[in-house]
Amino acid sequence: MTVDNSAEAQLELPPQSSLGTAAARKLATTTKSAPQMQEITSRWLLRMLPWVEAQGGTYRVNRRLGYTVGDGCIEFVQDGAAVRVVPRELGELALLRGFEDVEVLTALADRCVQRDFRAGEVLAERGSRAEQINLIAHGRISQVSVGKYGDEAAVAVLADGGQFGENALLDPDARWDCTATAETAGTLLTLSRADFSAVLSAAPGLQAHLEEFSSLSRRRQNRHGEAEIAMSAGHTGEAELPGAFVDYELRPREYELSVAQTVLRVHTRVTDLYNGPMNQTDEQLRLTIEALRERQEHELINNREFGLLHNVDYKQRVQTHSGAPTPEDLDELLCRRRGTKFFLAHPTMIAAIGRGLNAYGLYPDPVDLDGQQVAAWRGVPILPCDKIPISKEHTSSILAMRTGEDNQGVIGLRQTGLPEEYEPGLSVRFMGIGEQAIISYLVTTYFSAAVLVPNALGMLENVPIARSHG
């Protein structure tokens, strides 16, 4: 076999004349970053909430006595295409609030008739006779009336769990005061006045309950449903002044502090041999606390007991009028309360808000918040929070809130001065060293949130976030 000496010559590498970088690195000291963590977010909610001390682990919200009843969200159960109302959920209606006879409620639920509707269908015509109550199991319905000058005026947008026509159950002369039109296809259940009367005639307990309800509704109330304080103004001479007192709720809501905990474990060999240049325990603790704070914000948003999404009063829940968020939707959310401190929305929702405003030719200026430029609407910051969920239908919600005890707003609750407190409201307690030479630390934080008055917190819900292809 013939060897090509010229080819071998071409493959030969030149002799090395200095120390290579790969070998040199064996003697070099590397520059290290602190441990990084992708889960860390801006956590604007924790930063913006005013934190109030909850001594004894409980915070009681005392309010004026109010007579506003019902107006809740009604739940349904579905069996294939068939839908029925949960009997106890009828107690969310104003005239049945507090009535607990399950047998009677079941009789009323059994008389509800299912009706499927299509988009664009008129479900109630303004001025026509109202013969039944309509319970919305699924779908979105808009209500319009006539404005001052005869033009069409939007009144409300109702969605899953809503209802309209409750006054028709007791008033034989009731008429629809709005025209209700289906914006989407959906399903509702109807309970006619005749069926309600048939159950009422055989239920003495329900009759007594309605008499009590009527007496409550005759008491004077202010526009927020609170018992009115009698007073006189603009009088002259020696007019007799009315007496007054401010009554309070007899069973005010109490918020107990929730807890988030974990046990941090570090082997003594690690802390003995590998504690430089960075302290292993400190770095482990830092990342553990970051994860705990992320969980804390998640609970403040989503917890079914005290989470903000589940504690928005039904009168403070707003539906979009045309799908994607518009300036009108944001304005309606703003006008429900005084002194809105900030909006809170998923980052994807903030992008959808930007597209909605841009479609109107609006490019609002950002505002400075703690040295950062953030998006805003009418000067109110729109802050990101990825803890607000996005549904399978690609819809989400926008929260708006007023904050602070002095403003009767939303507040965070915590207790400081804990044993071995590491940060305000967070403690790190040494639990000992186990037989496997592992050091354990109990990391704990106690927290909750409270809404002092219902209009402190509002929500624009069921907002589509998908990009339009139109």
Side-chain angles (χ1 to χ4, degrees), residues 76-207:
F76 303 82
V77 292
Q78 184 176 1
D79 184 7
V83 177
R84 54 190 176 87
V85 63
V86 178
R88 285 186 179 275
E89 287 296 307
L90 292 175
E92 294 295 337
L93 300 176
L95 57 83
L96 294 177
R97 188 64 177 267
F99 183 69
E100 299 180 351
D101 190 329
V102 179
E103 185 176 346
V104 176
L105 293 176
T106 302
L108 291 172
D110 290 342
R111 289 176 178 262
C112 291
V113 178
Q114 180 174 337
R115 175 183 175 183
D116 296 323
F117 55 85
R118 63 184 183 278
E121 184 176 349
V122 177
L123 304 175
E125 188 73 39
R126 180 179 179 273
S128 61
R129 295 181 65 86
E131 302 284 351
Q132 76 281 332
I133 184 175
N134 297 282
L135 312 176
I136 305 171
H138 179 64
R140 189 163 62 196
I141 298 171
S142 63
Q143 290 183 308
V144 298
S145 188
V146 177
K148 181 178 180 180
Y149 300 103
D151 55 332
E152 190 177 86
V155 175
V157 177
L158 306 176
D160 302 10
Q163 55 85 14
F164 60 98
E166 184 175 357
N167 61 323
L169 294 180
L170 297 178
D171 184 5
D173 298 322
R175 293 185 178 275
W176 298 115
D177 54 4
C178 300
T179 297
T181 306
E183 292 190 355
T184 65
T187 301
L188 56 77
L189 299 181
T190 64
L191 176 63
S192 68
R193 181 167 59 247
D195 285 334
F196 183 81
S197 299
V199 175
L200 177 62
S201 62
L206 181 56
Q207 297 171 19

Side-chain angles (χ1 to χ4, degrees), residues 315-327:
K315 288 185 177 180
Q316 300 298 324
R317 296 172 185 248
V318 181
Q319 303 291 324
T320 62
H321 286 80
S322 59
T326 65

Side-chain angles (χ1 to χ4, degrees), residues 64 109 148 169 171 238 265 330 367 399 412 415 441:
R64 278 180 59 184
K148 181 178 180 180
L169 294 180
D171 184 5
E238 299 179 353
R265 296 184 174 91
L330 296 178
V367 297
L399 291 171
Q415 184 173 327
Y441 299 91

